Amino acid sequence: MRQPIIAGNWKMNKTTSEAINFVSELKNKVIALSNTNIIIAPPYTALYPLKELSKNTSINLSSQDISIKESGAYTGEISFPMLKDCGCSYSIIGHSERRQYHNETNASCQEKCYVAMNENITPIYCIGETLEQRENDQTLTVIEDQLLTGLKDLPLTIKPFIIAYEPVWAIGTGKVATPNQAQDIHQFIRHIISTHIDTNLANKIQIIYGGSVNPKNFQSLIEEPDIDGALVGGSCLKIDSFTELITIAHNYTL
């Protein structure tokens, strides 16, 4: 069985002091849940203080983005040496908000994934269709293009990689793909990887679902055979709901 993942994308939420208080409480609540890979992606301002706080726990740090540049005159960017210095072992890449507000493309996401993997930072590569694309029966075409372009030439068979399927129409809207809808796309993702990249990789790669995930709907999602966990937004900002999601993932593996 692939290890379940619960990843929390804090987006632009929590001050440094709020982040410290949250993780201080979280690590005590999840101390016995070590069979679940817990990932949090706080704002950059909170990363370094959380590096020491999360040490020797099952909590891993992720960035919300990464630059393809190591250093230089790139105002507002953050580089892999900075992220590694802050204890990041993961990076979210290609989130729909980055694609929408910062014009990121599948090709630019591929560059970021390549840089991250080369520096032993595991990408959490986000893909997903808009409501218009789903209504126009373009979902599979969009997903296939995001995969084939975004994963091109990456060392996927030798380094870890996570795919997050996040239908754009479900992010922050309260709408959630049904377990069958989510499973169908997760299964399709494995089919594309098996057909175009590597069959063994398709079986072992971790694919998680995102889009208005909460403790009430997560149980039915994690029970699907190709869904390995969740990339969580709003529900990761409250200690009780985030802990409950981790507990559900933990209990599912028992």
Side-chain angles (χ1 to χ4, degrees):
M1 176 180 287
R2 296 176 294 267
Q3 184 185 34
I5 298 169
I6 300 295
N9 179 13
W10 292 10
K11 305 187 180 183
M12 196 169 67
N13 291 289
K14 296 192 185 298
T15 62
T16 300
S17 59
E18 289 171 338
I20 290 172
N21 291 338
F22 184 93
V23 173
S24 296
E25 186 174 356
L26 178 66
K27 70 177 186 177
N28 291 325
K29 288 181 175 290
V30 301
I31 194 167
L33 307 178
S34 58
N35 65 335
T36 299
N37 185 4
I38 304 166
I39 303 170
I40 57 171
Y44 300 129
T45 49
L47 283 172
Y48 195 79
L50 296 184
K51 175 183 178 180
E52 287 300 316
L53 194 57
S54 61
K55 186 176 291 185
N56 299 320
T57 73
S58 56
I59 302 169
N60 299 290
L61 294 181
S62 172
S63 66
Q64 297 180 18
D65 189 32
I66 189 172
S67 174
I68 62 171
K69 303 295 185 181
E70 184 172 355
S71 62
Y74 303 100
T75 301
E77 295 293 301
I78 190 161
S79 67
F80 63 82
M82 297 173 182
L83 295 176
K84 292 175 77 172
D85 186 52
C86 288
C88 281
S89 49
Y90 297 86
S91 178
I92 297 172
I93 295 173
H95 192 279
S96 64
E97 290 160 2
R98 297 289 310 179
R99 293 176 185 262
Q100 179 180 356
Y101 302 134
H102 299 275
N103 301 312
E104 292 192 1
T105 64
N106 297 330
S108 66
C109 290
Q110 188 276 345
E111 289 185 284
K112 291 185 176 188
C113 287
Y114 185 87
V115 167
M117 295 178 81
N118 193 51
E119 297 300 324
N120 296 317
I121 295 174
T122 300
I124 303 173
Y125 178 50
C126 300
I127 62 175
E129 80 283 8
T130 65
L131 181 60
E132 181 181 9
Q133 289 166 337
R134 174 166 279 270
E135 290 178 340
N136 289 329
D137 295 323
Q138 297 174 321
T139 296
L140 300 186
T141 301
V142 170
I143 297 298
E144 183 171 3
D145 185 44
Q146 290 172 330
L147 288 170
L148 295 184
T149 303
L151 275 57
K152 184 179 179 182
D153 297 328
L154 299 181
L156 295 166
T157 59
I158 59 174
K159 293 196 175 185
F161 192 88
I162 299 169
I163 296 172
Y165 169 57
E166 288 199 303
V168 180
W169 49 269
I171 299 174
T173 63
K175 299 178 181 179
V176 185
T178 66
N180 286 340
Q181 287 175 323
Q183 166 60 20
D184 285 346
I185 300 302
H186 282 237
Q187 186 178 53
F188 178 72
I189 292 169
R190 294 195 195 280
H191 167 72
I192 292 298
I193 293 173
S194 177
T195 302
H196 295 278
I197 303 176
D198 183 84
T199 300
N200 290 330
L201 175 67
N203 292 327
K204 72 177 184 179
I205 196 167
Q206 291 171 301
I207 309 173
I208 59 179
Y209 173 79
S212 298
V213 174
N214 60 55
K216 292 182 179 180
N217 58 42
F218 180 58
Q219 180 69 54
S220 60
L221 290 164
I222 193 66
E223 290 175 352
E224 295 293 336
D226 289 305
I227 299 178
D228 300 320
L231 178 57
V232 188
S235 290
C236 78
L237 298 175
K238 296 180 180 179
I239 193 74
D240 289 341
S241 57
F242 193 52
T243 302
E244 189 172 353
L245 287 166
I246 296 166
T247 302
I248 292 170
H250 168 77
N251 289 339
Y252 176 70
T253 63
L254 299 180

mmCIF file with all atom_site columns, all heavy atoms in Angstrom, residues 213-234:
data_model
loop_
_atom_site.group_PDB
_atom_site.id
_atom_site.type_symbol
_atom_site.label_atom_id
_atom_site.label_alt_id
_atom_site.label_comp_id
_atom_site.label_asym_id
_atom_site.label_entity_id
_atom_site.label_seq_id
_atom_site.pdbx_PDB_ins_code
_atom_site.Cartn_x
_atom_site.Cartn_y
_atom_site.Cartn_z
_atom_site.occupancy
_atom_site.B_iso_or_equiv
_atom_site.pdbx_formal_charge
_atom_site.auth_seq_id
_atom_site.auth_comp_id
_atom_site.auth_asym_id
_atom_site.auth_atom_id
_atom_site.pdbx_PDB_model_num
ATOM 1   N N   . VAL A 1 213 ? -11.670 19.664 0.407  1.00 0.00 ? 213 VAL A N   1
ATOM 2   C CA  . VAL A 1 213 ? -11.611 18.455 1.236  1.00 0.00 ? 213 VAL A CA  1
ATOM 3   C C   . VAL A 1 213 ? -11.828 18.828 2.698  1.00 0.00 ? 213 VAL A C   1
ATOM 4   O O   . VAL A 1 213 ? -11.264 19.807 3.199  1.00 0.00 ? 213 VAL A O   1
ATOM 5   C CB  . VAL A 1 213 ? -10.257 17.745 1.077  1.00 0.00 ? 213 VAL A CB  1
ATOM 6   C CG1 . VAL A 1 213 ? -10.145 16.569 2.048  1.00 0.00 ? 213 VAL A CG1 1
ATOM 7   C CG2 . VAL A 1 213 ? -10.068 17.265 -0.351 1.00 0.00 ? 213 VAL A CG2 1
ATOM 8   N N   . ASN A 1 214 ? -12.638 18.043 3.386  1.00 0.00 ? 214 ASN A N   1
ATOM 9   C CA  . ASN A 1 214 ? -12.854 18.239 4.818  1.00 0.00 ? 214 ASN A CA  1
ATOM 10  C C   . ASN A 1 214 ? -13.093 16.879 5.467  1.00 0.00 ? 214 ASN A C   1
ATOM 11  O O   . ASN A 1 214 ? -13.235 15.865 4.772  1.00 0.00 ? 214 ASN A O   1
ATOM 12  C CB  . ASN A 1 214 ? -14.014 19.209 5.078  1.00 0.00 ? 214 ASN A CB  1
ATOM 13  C CG  . ASN A 1 214 ? -15.327 18.711 4.504  1.00 0.00 ? 214 ASN A CG  1
ATOM 14  O OD1 . ASN A 1 214 ? -15.759 17.604 4.807  1.00 0.00 ? 214 ASN A OD1 1
ATOM 15  N ND2 . ASN A 1 214 ? -15.973 19.533 3.676  1.00 0.00 ? 214 ASN A ND2 1
ATOM 16  N N   . PRO A 1 215 ? -13.132 16.829 6.792  1.00 0.00 ? 215 PRO A N   1
ATOM 17  C CA  . PRO A 1 215 ? -13.296 15.527 7.461  1.00 0.00 ? 215 PRO A CA  1
ATOM 18  C C   . PRO A 1 215 ? -14.593 14.795 7.105  1.00 0.00 ? 215 PRO A C   1
ATOM 19  O O   . PRO A 1 215 ? -14.662 13.576 7.222  1.00 0.00 ? 215 PRO A O   1
ATOM 20  C CB  . PRO A 1 215 ? -13.265 15.898 8.949  1.00 0.00 ? 215 PRO A CB  1
ATOM 21  C CG  . PRO A 1 215 ? -12.438 17.138 9.002  1.00 0.00 ? 215 PRO A CG  1
ATOM 22  C CD  . PRO A 1 215 ? -12.810 17.898 7.762  1.00 0.00 ? 215 PRO A CD  1
ATOM 23  N N   . LYS A 1 216 ? -15.608 15.521 6.669  1.00 0.00 ? 216 LYS A N   1
ATOM 24  C CA  . LYS A 1 216 ? -16.879 14.877 6.341  1.00 0.00 ? 216 LYS A CA  1
ATOM 25  C C   . LYS A 1 216 ? -16.832 14.131 5.010  1.00 0.00 ? 216 LYS A C   1
ATOM 26  O O   . LYS A 1 216 ? -17.524 13.122 4.843  1.00 0.00 ? 216 LYS A O   1
ATOM 27  C CB  . LYS A 1 216 ? -18.001 15.918 6.324  1.00 0.00 ? 216 LYS A CB  1
ATOM 28  C CG  . LYS A 1 216 ? -18.328 16.497 7.693  1.00 0.00 ? 216 LYS A CG  1
ATOM 29  C CD  . LYS A 1 216 ? -19.482 17.471 7.610  1.00 0.00 ? 216 LYS A CD  1
ATOM 30  C CE  . LYS A 1 216 ? -19.824 18.041 8.991  1.00 0.00 ? 216 LYS A CE  1
ATOM 31  N NZ  . LYS A 1 216 ? -20.957 19.005 8.926  1.00 0.00 ? 216 LYS A NZ  1
ATOM 32  N N   . ASN A 1 217 ? -16.055 14.629 4.045  1.00 0.00 ? 217 ASN A N   1
ATOM 33  C CA  . ASN A 1 217 ? -16.044 13.981 2.734  1.00 0.00 ? 217 ASN A CA  1
ATOM 34  C C   . ASN A 1 217 ? -14.783 13.172 2.448  1.00 0.00 ? 217 ASN A C   1
ATOM 35  O O   . ASN A 1 217 ? -14.723 12.444 1.458  1.00 0.00 ? 217 ASN A O   1
ATOM 36  C CB  . ASN A 1 217 ? -16.263 15.014 1.616  1.00 0.00 ? 217 ASN A CB  1
ATOM 37  C CG  . ASN A 1 217 ? -15.214 16.125 1.610  1.00 0.00 ? 217 ASN A CG  1
ATOM 38  O OD1 . ASN A 1 217 ? -14.024 15.882 1.783  1.00 0.00 ? 217 ASN A OD1 1
ATOM 39  N ND2 . ASN A 1 217 ? -15.656 17.359 1.384  1.00 0.00 ? 217 ASN A ND2 1
ATOM 40  N N   . PHE A 1 218 ? -13.787 13.276 3.317  1.00 0.00 ? 218 PHE A N   1
ATOM 41  C CA  . PHE A 1 218 ? -12.503 12.651 3.010  1.00 0.00 ? 218 PHE A CA  1
ATOM 42  C C   . PHE A 1 218 ? -12.525 11.127 3.104  1.00 0.00 ? 218 PHE A C   1
ATOM 43  O O   . PHE A 1 218 ? -11.856 10.440 2.336  1.00 0.00 ? 218 PHE A O   1
ATOM 44  C CB  . PHE A 1 218 ? -11.408 13.210 3.927  1.00 0.00 ? 218 PHE A CB  1
ATOM 45  C CG  . PHE A 1 218 ? -10.047 12.608 3.671  1.00 0.00 ? 218 PHE A CG  1
ATOM 46  C CD1 . PHE A 1 218 ? -9.459  12.683 2.418  1.00 0.00 ? 218 PHE A CD1 1
ATOM 47  C CD2 . PHE A 1 218 ? -9.367  11.953 4.682  1.00 0.00 ? 218 PHE A CD2 1
ATOM 48  C CE1 . PHE A 1 218 ? -8.213  12.122 2.177  1.00 0.00 ? 218 PHE A CE1 1
ATOM 49  C CE2 . PHE A 1 218 ? -8.120  11.392 4.450  1.00 0.00 ? 218 PHE A CE2 1
ATOM 50  C CZ  . PHE A 1 218 ? -7.545  11.481 3.196  1.00 0.00 ? 218 PHE A CZ  1
ATOM 51  N N   . GLN A 1 219 ? -13.286 10.583 4.038  1.00 0.00 ? 219 GLN A N   1
ATOM 52  C CA  . GLN A 1 219 ? -13.305 9.131  4.228  1.00 0.00 ? 219 GLN A CA  1
ATOM 53  C C   . GLN A 1 219 ? -13.678 8.415  2.929  1.00 0.00 ? 219 GLN A C   1
ATOM 54  O O   . GLN A 1 219 ? -13.041 7.428  2.543  1.00 0.00 ? 219 GLN A O   1
ATOM 55  C CB  . GLN A 1 219 ? -14.297 8.759  5.322  1.00 0.00 ? 219 GLN A CB  1
ATOM 56  C CG  . GLN A 1 219 ? -14.387 7.257  5.593  1.00 0.00 ? 219 GLN A CG  1
ATOM 57  C CD  . GLN A 1 219 ? -13.131 6.695  6.249  1.00 0.00 ? 219 GLN A CD  1
ATOM 58  O OE1 . GLN A 1 219 ? -12.694 7.200  7.277  1.00 0.00 ? 219 GLN A OE1 1
ATOM 59  N NE2 . GLN A 1 219 ? -12.557 5.654  5.655  1.00 0.00 ? 219 GLN A NE2 1
ATOM 60  N N   . SER A 1 220 ? -14.694 8.904  2.244  1.00 0.00 ? 220 SER A N   1
ATOM 61  C CA  . SER A 1 220 ? -15.131 8.250  1.014  1.00 0.00 ? 220 SER A CA  1
ATOM 62  C C   . SER A 1 220 ? -14.125 8.425  -0.113 1.00 0.00 ? 220 SER A C   1
ATOM 63  O O   . SER A 1 220 ? -14.067 7.607  -1.041 1.00 0.00 ? 220 SER A O   1
ATOM 64  C CB  . SER A 1 220 ? -16.497 8.791  0.579  1.00 0.00 ? 220 SER A CB  1
ATOM 65  O OG  . SER A 1 220 ? -16.450 10.182 0.345  1.00 0.00 ? 220 SER A OG  1
ATOM 66  N N   . LEU A 1 221 ? -13.305 9.464  -0.047 1.00 0.00 ? 221 LEU A N   1
ATOM 67  C CA  . LEU A 1 221 ? -12.276 9.686  -1.071 1.00 0.00 ? 221 LEU A CA  1
ATOM 68  C C   . LEU A 1 221 ? -11.077 8.759  -0.857 1.00 0.00 ? 221 LEU A C   1
ATOM 69  O O   . LEU A 1 221 ? -10.601 8.115  -1.794 1.00 0.00 ? 221 LEU A O   1
ATOM 70  C CB  . LEU A 1 221 ? -11.825 11.151 -1.055 1.00 0.00 ? 221 LEU A CB  1
ATOM 71  C CG  . LEU A 1 221 ? -12.844 12.173 -1.560 1.00 0.00 ? 221 LEU A CG  1
ATOM 72  C CD1 . LEU A 1 221 ? -12.449 13.585 -1.135 1.00 0.00 ? 221 LEU A CD1 1
ATOM 73  C CD2 . LEU A 1 221 ? -12.977 12.103 -3.079 1.00 0.00 ? 221 LEU A CD2 1
ATOM 74  N N   . ILE A 1 222 ? -10.602 8.667  0.376  1.00 0.00 ? 222 ILE A N   1
ATOM 75  C CA  . ILE A 1 222 ? -9.409  7.867  0.651  1.00 0.00 ? 222 ILE A CA  1
ATOM 76  C C   . ILE A 1 222 ? -9.675  6.383  0.445  1.00 0.00 ? 222 ILE A C   1
ATOM 77  O O   . ILE A 1 222 ? -8.738  5.598  0.228  1.00 0.00 ? 222 ILE A O   1
ATOM 78  C CB  . ILE A 1 222 ? -8.881  8.126  2.087  1.00 0.00 ? 222 ILE A CB  1
ATOM 79  C CG1 . ILE A 1 222 ? -7.474  7.552  2.295  1.00 0.00 ? 222 ILE A CG1 1
ATOM 80  C CG2 . ILE A 1 222 ? -9.835  7.559  3.129  1.00 0.00 ? 222 ILE A CG2 1
ATOM 81  C CD1 . ILE A 1 222 ? -6.411  8.199  1.487  1.00 0.00 ? 222 ILE A CD1 1
ATOM 82  N N   . GLU A 1 223 ? -10.935 5.974  0.471  1.00 0.00 ? 223 GLU A N   1
ATOM 83  C CA  . GLU A 1 223 ? -11.271 4.572  0.252  1.00 0.00 ? 223 GLU A CA  1
ATOM 84  C C   . GLU A 1 223 ? -11.155 4.146  -1.208 1.00 0.00 ? 223 GLU A C   1
ATOM 85  O O   . GLU A 1 223 ? -11.120 2.950  -1.508 1.00 0.00 ? 223 GLU A O   1
ATOM 86  C CB  . GLU A 1 223 ? -12.690 4.291  0.757  1.00 0.00 ? 223 GLU A CB  1
ATOM 87  C CG  . GLU A 1 223 ? -12.802 4.328  2.278  1.00 0.00 ? 223 GLU A CG  1
ATOM 88  C CD  . GLU A 1 223 ? -14.235 4.165  2.761  1.00 0.00 ? 223 GLU A CD  1
ATOM 89  O OE1 . GLU A 1 223 ? -15.150 4.186  1.900  1.00 0.00 ? 223 GLU A OE1 1
ATOM 90  O OE2 . GLU A 1 223 ? -14.428 4.020  3.984  1.00 0.00 ? 223 GLU A OE2 1
ATOM 91  N N   . GLU A 1 224 ? -11.081 5.120  -2.116 1.00 0.00 ? 224 GLU A N   1
ATOM 92  C CA  . GLU A 1 224 ? -10.930 4.787  -3.533 1.00 0.00 ? 224 GLU A CA  1
ATOM 93  C C   . GLU A 1 224 ? -9.508  4.261  -3.789 1.00 0.00 ? 224 GLU A C   1
ATOM 94  O O   . GLU A 1 224 ? -8.534  4.773  -3.223 1.00 0.00 ? 224 GLU A O   1
ATOM 95  C CB  . GLU A 1 224 ? -11.207 6.010  -4.408 1.00 0.00 ? 224 GLU A CB  1
ATOM 96  C CG  . GLU A 1 224 ? -12.640 6.508  -4.351 1.00 0.00 ? 224 GLU A CG  1
ATOM 97  C CD  . GLU A 1 224 ? -13.623 5.523  -4.957 1.00 0.00 ? 224 GLU A CD  1
ATOM 98  O OE1 . GLU A 1 224 ? -13.210 4.695  -5.800 1.00 0.00 ? 224 GLU A OE1 1
ATOM 99  O OE2 . GLU A 1 224 ? -14.813 5.578  -4.586 1.00 0.00 ? 224 GLU A OE2 1
ATOM 100 N N   . PRO A 1 225 ? -9.352  3.261  -4.647 1.00 0.00 ? 225 PRO A N   1
ATOM 101 C CA  . PRO A 1 225 ? -8.061  2.571  -4.776 1.00 0.00 ? 225 PRO A CA  1
ATOM 102 C C   . PRO A 1 225 ? -6.909  3.410  -5.313 1.00 0.00 ? 225 PRO A C   1
ATOM 103 O O   . PRO A 1 225 ? -5.753  3.119  -5.026 1.00 0.00 ? 225 PRO A O   1
ATOM 104 C CB  . PRO A 1 225 ? -8.373  1.410  -5.731 1.00 0.00 ? 225 PRO A CB  1
ATOM 105 C CG  . PRO A 1 225 ? -9.615  1.823  -6.457 1.00 0.00 ? 225 PRO A CG  1
ATOM 106 C CD  . PRO A 1 225 ? -10.400 2.633  -5.482 1.00 0.00 ? 225 PRO A CD  1
ATOM 107 N N   . ASP A 1 226 ? -7.211  4.466  -6.080 1.00 0.00 ? 226 ASP A N   1
ATOM 108 C CA  . ASP A 1 226 ? -6.129  5.247  -6.681 1.00 0.00 ? 226 ASP A CA  1
ATOM 109 C C   . ASP A 1 226 ? -5.920  6.607  -6.026 1.00 0.00 ? 226 ASP A C   1
ATOM 110 O O   . ASP A 1 226 ? -5.121  7.408  -6.496 1.00 0.00 ? 226 ASP A O   1
ATOM 111 C CB  . ASP A 1 226 ? -6.399  5.433  -8.179 1.00 0.00 ? 226 ASP A CB  1
ATOM 112 C CG  . ASP A 1 226 ? -6.214  4.140  -8.951 1.00 0.00 ? 226 ASP A CG  1
ATOM 113 O OD1 . ASP A 1 226 ? -5.126  3.546  -8.850 1.00 0.00 ? 226 ASP A OD1 1
ATOM 114 O OD2 . ASP A 1 226 ? -7.169  3.700  -9.625 1.00 0.00 ? 226 ASP A OD2 1
ATOM 115 N N   . ILE A 1 227 ? -6.636  6.871  -4.936 1.00 0.00 ? 227 ILE A N   1
ATOM 116 C CA  . ILE A 1 227 ? -6.490  8.139  -4.218 1.00 0.00 ? 227 ILE A CA  1
ATOM 117 C C   . ILE A 1 227 ? -5.654  7.908  -2.964 1.00 0.00 ? 227 ILE A C   1
ATOM 118 O O   . ILE A 1 227 ? -6.027  7.133  -2.093 1.00 0.00 ? 227 ILE A O   1
ATOM 119 C CB  . ILE A 1 227 ? -7.869  8.736  -3.861 1.00 0.00 ? 227 ILE A CB  1
ATOM 120 C CG1 . ILE A 1 227 ? -8.658  9.021  -5.135 1.00 0.00 ? 227 ILE A CG1 1
ATOM 121 C CG2 . ILE A 1 227 ? -7.700  10.009 -3.027 1.00 0.00 ? 227 ILE A CG2 1
ATOM 122 C CD1 . ILE A 1 227 ? -10.053 9.558  -4.893 1.00 0.00 ? 227 ILE A CD1 1
ATOM 123 N N   . ASP A 1 228 ? -4.529  8.591  -2.879 1.00 0.00 ? 228 ASP A N   1
ATOM 124 C CA  . ASP A 1 228 ? -3.542  8.333  -1.822 1.00 0.00 ? 228 ASP A CA  1
ATOM 125 C C   . ASP A 1 228 ? -3.524  9.378  -0.719 1.00 0.00 ? 228 ASP A C   1
ATOM 126 O O   . ASP A 1 228 ? -2.620  9.369  0.127  1.00 0.00 ? 228 ASP A O   1
ATOM 127 C CB  . ASP A 1 228 ? -2.143  8.226  -2.432 1.00 0.00 ? 228 ASP A CB  1
ATOM 128 C CG  . ASP A 1 228 ? -2.044  7.112  -3.450 1.00 0.00 ? 228 ASP A CG  1
ATOM 129 O OD1 . ASP A 1 228 ? -2.618  6.038  -3.210 1.00 0.00 ? 228 ASP A OD1 1
ATOM 130 O OD2 . ASP A 1 228 ? -1.421  7.324  -4.504 1.00 0.00 ? 228 ASP A OD2 1
ATOM 131 N N   . GLY A 1 229 ? -4.495  10.274 -0.724 1.00 0.00 ? 229 GLY A N   1
ATOM 132 C CA  . GLY A 1 229 ? -4.503  11.297 0.306  1.00 0.00 ? 229 GLY A CA  1
ATOM 133 C C   . GLY A 1 229 ? -5.110  12.581 -0.214 1.00 0.00 ? 229 GLY A C   1
ATOM 134 O O   . GLY A 1 229 ? -5.880  12.573 -1.182 1.00 0.00 ? 229 GLY A O   1
ATOM 135 N N   . ALA A 1 230 ? -4.751  13.696 0.419  1.00 0.00 ? 230 ALA A N   1
ATOM 136 C CA  . ALA A 1 230 ? -5.397  14.954 0.075  1.00 0.00 ? 230 ALA A CA  1
ATOM 137 C C   . ALA A 1 230 ? -4.438  16.129 0.183  1.00 0.00 ? 230 ALA A C   1
ATOM 138 O O   . ALA A 1 230 ? -3.549  16.159 1.044  1.00 0.00 ? 230 ALA A O   1
ATOM 139 C CB  . ALA A 1 230 ? -6.595  15.190 0.976  1.00 0.00 ? 230 ALA A CB  1
ATOM 140 N N   . LEU A 1 231 ? -4.630  17.092 -0.717 1.00 0.00 ? 231 LEU A N   1
ATOM 141 C CA  . LEU A 1 231 ? -4.023  18.410 -0.598 1.00 0.00 ? 231 LEU A CA  1
ATOM 142 C C   . LEU A 1 231 ? -5.138  19.326 -0.116 1.00 0.00 ? 231 LEU A C   1
ATOM 143 O O   . LEU A 1 231 ? -6.114  19.559 -0.823 1.00 0.00 ? 231 LEU A O   1
ATOM 144 C CB  . LEU A 1 231 ? -3.464  18.885 -1.937 1.00 0.00 ? 231 LEU A CB  1
ATOM 145 C CG  . LEU A 1 231 ? -2.828  20.280 -1.963 1.00 0.00 ? 231 LEU A CG  1
ATOM 146 C CD1 . LEU A 1 231 ? -1.703  20.402 -0.941 1.00 0.00 ? 231 LEU A CD1 1
ATOM 147 C CD2 . LEU A 1 231 ? -2.316  20.620 -3.356 1.00 0.00 ? 231 LEU A CD2 1
ATOM 148 N N   . VAL A 1 232 ? -4.985  19.828 1.097  1.00 0.00 ? 232 VAL A N   1
ATOM 149 C CA  . VAL A 1 232 ? -6.084  20.472 1.809  1.00 0.00 ? 232 VAL A CA  1
ATOM 150 C C   . VAL A 1 232 ? -5.863  21.978 1.876  1.00 0.00 ? 232 VAL A C   1
ATOM 151 O O   . VAL A 1 232 ? -4.737  22.441 2.079  1.00 0.00 ? 232 VAL A O   1
ATOM 152 C CB  . VAL A 1 232 ? -6.190  19.903 3.241  1.00 0.00 ? 232 VAL A CB  1
ATOM 153 C CG1 . VAL A 1 232 ? -7.440  20.425 3.926  1.00 0.00 ? 232 VAL A CG1 1
ATOM 154 C CG2 . VAL A 1 232 ? -6.177  18.378 3.215  1.00 0.00 ? 232 VAL A CG2 1
ATOM 155 N N   . GLY A 1 233 ? -6.953  22.739 1.713  1.00 0.00 ? 233 GLY A N   1
ATOM 156 C CA  . GLY A 1 233 ? -6.900  24.184 1.832  1.00 0.00 ? 233 GLY A CA  1
ATOM 157 C C   . GLY A 1 233 ? -7.459  24.646 3.158  1.00 0.00 ? 233 GLY A C   1
ATOM 158 O O   . GLY A 1 233 ? -6.811  24.570 4.194  1.00 0.00 ? 233 GLY A O   1
ATOM 159 N N   . GLY A 1 234 ? -8.709  25.083 3.154  1.00 0.00 ? 234 GLY A N   1
ATOM 160 C CA  . GLY A 1 234 ? -9.311  25.674 4.351  1.00 0.00 ? 234 GLY A CA  1
ATOM 161 C C   . GLY A 1 234 ? -9.272  24.789 5.578  1.00 0.00 ? 234 GLY A C   1
ATOM 162 O O   . GLY A 1 234 ? -9.035  25.274 6.701  1.00 0.00 ? 234 GLY A O   1
#
